[in-house]
Amino acid sequence: MVSAVGVSAAACSDDSASSVTLKLVAADYGDPGGENGSQKYWDALARDFTQLNSGITIDVTVLSWNDVDAKVAEMVKAGDPPDIAQIGSYASYADQDLLYSAGDLLPIPVQADFLPTLAAAGEVHRMQYGLPFAASTRLLFYNKDLFTEAGLDPDKPPESWNELRDAARALKATGVKHPYGLPLGPEEAPAETMMWMLGDGGGYTDTGGSYIIDSADNIEAFNWLRDNLINADLTGPNPEKTDRQQVFDAFTRGEVGMLNGHPTLMQQAAREDVKYGTTELPGRGGAASSTMGVADWIMAFKKNGHRKEIGEFLAFAFSEKNHYDFVSRYDLLPVTTSGSERMRGDSEQRKLRKFLEQLPTAEFYPVGKVSWGEVSSDIKQRIGEVVAPDGDPARVLGSIQRAAETAESSSGS
């Protein structure tokens, strides 16, 4: 029973026996104010929890992704953080000793249910502070009708970079505006960059956690991208200024032949009756060895001292039923083993299985590094330089690497 899980949550000396109101700030995954807005989910969850735990009230504020991280940062700076925040990053707060750890909050069975790769991604200084809340992975999407018109087999998507290039050439020959959609604008730059790095066996960090942004593999990947797609005019105009949503919208208008996408694009394409296929991300010699994973996080601030009550609510939120209810309504992936097993057996979620299969081995941003926020921002501002007429990946990646090393040294992470 869920209530039993709550009772087993860890207690400590700063817990209050009196009635408690927990402030929760969360991100909106739906249409604000619409039928699928996240406010309705959280209100229902809070109501159900309070019925089982009459001494605890949950005060929920749901904000758009454009505002939620900045709002929580303002609250923290003002000395009035929420008890619980469901946002995009946690490392800087953990580094300032503002957060409870997972072990402070959750009983062992709840902690053990997190997928190991995601639990590890939530660590700062080898302690888990970020609780994964929802996840996604990436696949290559392609427009089957455009493939057919270009004389390409719609059931045989490209498996390697060379096959992707050849398909892009065929699409261009039939007048497709964006044979390959390349969003290197600020919104998506870190993700698109990472996917191309993974395609050549590279990435942002090595197995020891050190930045390797200017590694030989990464430079080679961007040299190939520049020479084979960008300079060949197979990506459409101004990729350095193109954001992810622009490419998604163009895909649903039939203007993009191929692009890297996450599960949300399925909903958007279905609304516009776009016939699409998905496949593993292409790599240099075949399918990439791994894909990129993205996780959003939930965390608990220590300021108000409600550890026991926060732990009870989070254990309730991560119960199989409640967690699955959230991720399934937004085409997201569960972050727990129990939720993943349920999704594999859910016939209504067949379209997500390709994404789900990749989650255990996906590579994530190095979000546990305190320096990552600064490095990510630098990538957003600088990576577009590789697509300039005289773009030099070695120079650009080398500059970003040096800045990353400086940020790493300053942060002490």
Side-chain angles (χ1 to χ4, degrees):
M1 295 177 61
V2 171
S3 57
V5 172
V7 170
S8 67
C12 74
S13 59
D14 64 355
D15 297 328
S16 172
S18 60
S19 179
V20 166
T21 296
L22 300 178
K23 293 188 296 182
L24 185 154
V25 176
D28 197 345
Y29 289 80
D31 301 324
E35 289 300 314
N36 68 337
S38 297
Q39 185 75 49
K40 293 186 177 182
Y41 168 83
W42 285 110
D43 286 346
L45 186 71
R47 183 171 58 251
D48 291 346
F49 176 77
T50 299
Q51 288 177 352
L52 296 171
N53 302 269
S54 59
I56 308 174
T57 301
I58 313 297
D59 178 11
V60 179
T61 300
V62 174
L63 301 171
S64 77
W65 273 110
N66 293 333
D67 303 321
V68 67
D69 286 276
K71 179 61 177 178
V72 170
E74 290 175 6
M75 296 171 73
V76 172
K77 186 175 181 180
D80 186 29
D83 296 284
I84 303 168
Q86 187 271 299
I87 52 178
S89 61
Y90 62 87
S92 63
Y93 300 129
D95 189 59
Q96 298 171 63
D97 195 28
L98 300 178
L99 303 180
Y100 288 119
S101 71
D104 291 331
L105 298 166
L106 299 173
I108 296 299
V110 178
Q111 295 180 60
D113 198 26
F114 289 127
L115 295 172
T117 53
L118 288 167
E123 293 181 355
V124 174
H125 307 310
R126 302 193 179 187
M127 180 74 72
Q128 185 182 357
Y129 294 95
L131 309 180
F133 183 70
S136 68
T137 57
R138 303 298 174 94
L139 292 171
L140 180 77
F141 283 69
Y142 63 99
N143 185 309
K144 288 192 169 186
D145 286 339
L146 294 181
F147 263 51
T148 299
E149 292 170 9
L152 301 167
D153 188 337
D155 296 319
K156 291 185 178 180
E159 296 181 358
S160 68
W161 286 350
N162 285 344
E163 290 178 4
L164 184 145
R165 176 200 59 205
D166 293 345
R169 288 172 174 169
L171 291 163
K172 181 181 179 181
T174 58
V176 176
K177 186 175 181 180
H178 306 278
Y180 177 81
L182 181 65
L184 285 180
E187 180 187 13
E188 184 71 348
E192 188 73 15
T193 296
M194 183 173 176
M195 284 183 277
W196 281 96
M197 290 176 169
L198 291 173
D200 205 14
Y204 285 126
T205 58
D206 61 19
T207 55
S210 297
Y211 285 115
I212 54 167
I213 295 168
D214 65 345
S215 70
D217 289 337
N218 291 341
I219 292 171
E220 185 178 55
F222 275 91
N223 279 332
W224 190 96
L225 175 62
R226 178 199 60 195
D227 295 341
N228 289 273
L229 294 185
I230 296 169
N231 288 350
D233 194 26
L234 296 176
T235 63
N238 303 318
E240 75 280 9
K241 297 179 181 178
T242 301
D243 284 333
R244 176 182 62 194
Q245 194 57 54
Q246 291 174 288
V247 176
F248 279 18
D249 291 344
F251 184 75
T252 63
R253 294 193 301 266
E255 298 173 358
V256 174
M258 301 173 287
L259 77 166
N260 293 329
H262 54 65
T264 302
L265 182 56
M266 295 190 301
Q267 291 183 348
Q268 190 172 345
R271 284 196 298 267
E272 302 299 328
D273 294 323
V274 174
K275 294 180 181 179
Y276 68 90
T278 59
T279 190
E280 295 178 2
L281 300 183
R284 172 169 287 279
S289 59
S290 62
T291 189
M292 191 190 80
V294 175
D296 299 324
W297 304 92
I298 196 164
M299 62 215 68
F301 286 87
K302 297 193 291 187
K303 178 66 180 294
N304 297 322
H306 301 312
R307 185 173 76 167
K308 177 176 179 293
E309 293 85 355
I310 293 170
E312 290 174 349
F313 177 73
L314 290 177
F316 182 74
F318 281 112
S319 68
E320 180 186 327
K321 174 185 180 300
N322 291 327
H323 178 54
Y324 192 77
D325 181 29
F326 183 84
V327 296
S328 61
R329 72 172 60 190
Y330 295 115
D331 278 351
L332 296 167
L333 302 180
V335 300
T336 61
T337 299
S338 60
S340 297
E341 290 175 351
R342 180 169 175 177
M343 182 168 281
R344 287 190 186 95
D346 187 346
S347 61
E348 296 183 0
Q349 298 296 335
R350 287 192 299 269
K351 60 185 181 298
L352 285 172
R353 287 177 186 166
K354 280 187 181 180
F355 295 94
L356 185 64
E357 289 167 1
Q358 298 189 100
L359 187 58
T361 58
E363 297 284 340
F364 293 84
Y365 292 138
V367 290
K369 298 172 76 64
V370 178
S371 59
W372 172 245
E374 185 175 341
V375 174
S376 176
S377 178
D378 195 29
I379 293 167
K380 291 178 180 181
Q381 299 303 317
R382 298 287 311 282
I383 199 65
E385 295 175 23
V386 301
V387 303
D390 58 347
D392 183 350
R395 177 182 59 80
V396 175
L397 295 179
S399 177
I400 295 173
Q401 172 71 20
R402 290 189 293 276
E405 291 172 349
T406 299
E408 179 79 349
S409 177
S410 299
S411 70
S413 64

